[in-house]
Amino acid sequence: MISRLSASRTRSGPVNDRLTRALRGATTHDTRLNPRHRLRYRLRFATLLVVATLLGGGAEVAWGQSRIKDLATLQGVRPNQLVGYGIVAGLDGSGDQTTQTPFTVQSIISMLGQLGVQLPANTSLQLRNVAAVMVTATLPAFARPGQTLDVTVSSMGNSRNLRGGTLLMTPLRGADGQIYSVAQGNILLGGVGASAGGSSVQVNQLNSGRIPNGATVERTPATPVGQGDFVNLELRDADFTTANRMAAAINTSFGEGTAQALDARHVRVTAPVDNHQRVGFLSRMENLAVARAEASPRVIINARTGSVVMNQLVTVLPCAVAHGSLSITISSDTVVSQPNALSAGQTVVGERASIDIRADRGQLVQIPSSTNLGEVVRALNAVGASPQDLLSILQAMRAAGALQAELEII
């Protein structure tokens, strides 16, 4: 047992030095004690051994290994997008204004004709309880006829509230124009709104909702699991190191030559031809642990919201940053010019505008070299810039070569 524990300690790092010495002491004293104390030491020895096993197993998880299913997907196994055009009925006077959305009227006339209702020619429909909508859904891989899908219903015309509406039978088509599902049901909204006397209040969106299990799968596209003797794994993030480690892990588990890394994103794996054996093979393979390669230093900037997110590998070289703010204030005052008595003049109302430009003196701040994320954050906070100003500072630091990271603006 001690030899196994020592081997585990060499693999997991110096976690159990004191624990190993305690175990050795327990086995040394075990032969010199009476049966009562010997039993007590054996129980203590077993407890320490369980603790050592738990510590050794936790160290492997802390190293950041991931399963293959978390790093890659199987080529050809993917969802498909579905879309359809439909009519929502039963609205409480919040439907489309038919004079401004003629396609809603055309849809109603066409639907009634299919149901056997023939309207006279040149009939003007004034409808307030119906709305034209777009219906979208996602058809998952390996779906079978009879399964249900969640659908999203979005207003297409000028209807602002779909609460209480019912989606009428709507076929959902794929990119090839074929019908794969049919949707129908009551719409569920996550918002609320009310208006009266010219005032209104609204919480969240009211012109878009969902129908849980609102679509039924009628047909499914073919989903081949691999091509012939091979299956291809596609990495979610292209990386040569991760692809090489993934192929090595598969070859170690199933034999040399089973997997081959084709490039930074694709790994070709030789798999059994029989479907049952292939499913079992893929089940074992997708749970293999692979050490993920370290990501490149990256800073993500959202120019619309001013958000800045960076990973822990971002480093900063020594540099100096001077930041100042420029504010412009424009004010307008109304001026009345009143003429003197008996001057036959007129009162004139004018406007006087004043513009004030203020530039704060920027302080030159020296940013030292930083090797971890905490130091980078403290250095940037020392500049005292707002999130919006920080966008320009990071871009300038990247151009000067002081920011060792990739800038990505979204």
Side-chain angles (χ1 to χ4, degrees), residues 98 105-106 108-109 112 118-127:
T98 54
V105 178
Q106 295 176 7
I108 294 295
I109 295 176
L112 293 179
Q118 300 297 330
L119 297 178
N122 300 324
T123 300
S124 179
L125 299 180
Q126 300 296 327
L127 306 175

Side-chain angles (χ1 to χ4, degrees), residues 215-240:
T216 303
V217 178
E218 300 296 337
R219 58 180 298 184
T220 58
T223 307
V225 183
Q227 300 175 355
D229 297 335
F230 301 98
V231 293
N232 294 323
L233 297 177
E234 296 180 347
L235 274 68
R236 303 181 189 274
D237 299 320
D239 188 87
F240 286 103

Side-chain angles (χ1 to χ4, degrees), residues 51-71:
V51 174
T53 304
L54 294 177
L55 290 176
E60 294 181 359
V61 176
W63 285 349
Q65 289 189 342
S66 302
R67 298 173 301 177
I68 290 181
K69 65 165 58 177
D70 301 326
L71 299 176

Side-chain angles (χ1 to χ4, degrees), residues 279-294:
V279 170
F281 173 84
L282 295 176
S283 175
R284 291 179 52 195
M285 181 188 66
E286 68 180 5
N287 289 286
L288 295 178
V290 177
R292 183 196 300 263
E294 290 186 353

Side-chain angles (χ1 to χ4, degrees), residues 1-133:
M1 292 184 181
I2 296 178
S3 60
R4 293 180 181 177
L5 180 62
S6 301
S8 175
R9 184 172 62 87
T10 57
R11 292 192 302 265
S12 304
V15 180
N16 307 320
D17 290 339
R18 296 182 180 179
L19 193 58
T20 304
R21 289 196 296 268
L23 292 176
R24 290 176 179 174
T27 54
T28 302
H29 294 286
D30 190 20
T31 58
R32 297 181 296 178
L33 298 175
N34 55 42
R36 181 185 303 175
H37 292 283
R38 186 179 302 172
L39 178 61
R40 183 183 304 172
Y41 272 97
R42 288 180 177 176
L43 292 176
R44 184 181 303 175
F45 176 82
T47 303
L48 293 175
L49 185 59
V50 171
V51 174
T53 304
L54 294 177
L55 290 176
E60 294 181 359
V61 176
W63 285 349
Q65 289 189 342
S66 302
R67 298 173 301 177
I68 290 181
K69 65 165 58 177
D70 301 326
L71 299 176
T73 59
L74 197 62
Q75 189 179 59
V77 179
R78 63 177 185 85
N80 293 274
Q81 305 300 323
L82 304 178
V83 64
Y85 170 82
I87 294 294
V88 171
L91 301 177
D92 188 12
S94 60
D96 291 339
Q97 298 179 9
T98 54
T99 57
Q100 301 178 4
T101 55
F103 50 85
T104 304
V105 178
Q106 295 176 7
S107 302
I108 294 295
I109 295 176
S110 176
M111 181 188 66
L112 293 179
Q114 294 178 3
L115 296 177
V117 179
Q118 300 297 330
L119 297 178
N122 300 324
T123 300
S124 179
L125 299 180
Q126 300 296 327
L127 306 175
R128 300 182 56 189
N129 298 335
V130 296
V133 295

Side-chain angles (χ1 to χ4, degrees), residues 137-185:
T138 300
L139 182 65
F142 307 115
R144 291 293 180 263
Q147 295 182 355
T148 57
L149 307 174
D150 295 343
V151 298
T152 301
V153 181
S154 304
S155 175
M156 187 178 176
N158 52 15
S159 174
R160 296 185 177 181
N161 193 342
L162 298 179
R163 177 175 294 277
T166 301
L167 175 68
L168 304 183
M169 184 179 296
T170 303
L172 303 181
R173 304 175 184 270
D176 56 356
Q178 300 294 327
I179 298 177
Y180 290 93
S181 180
V182 177
Q184 180 173 283

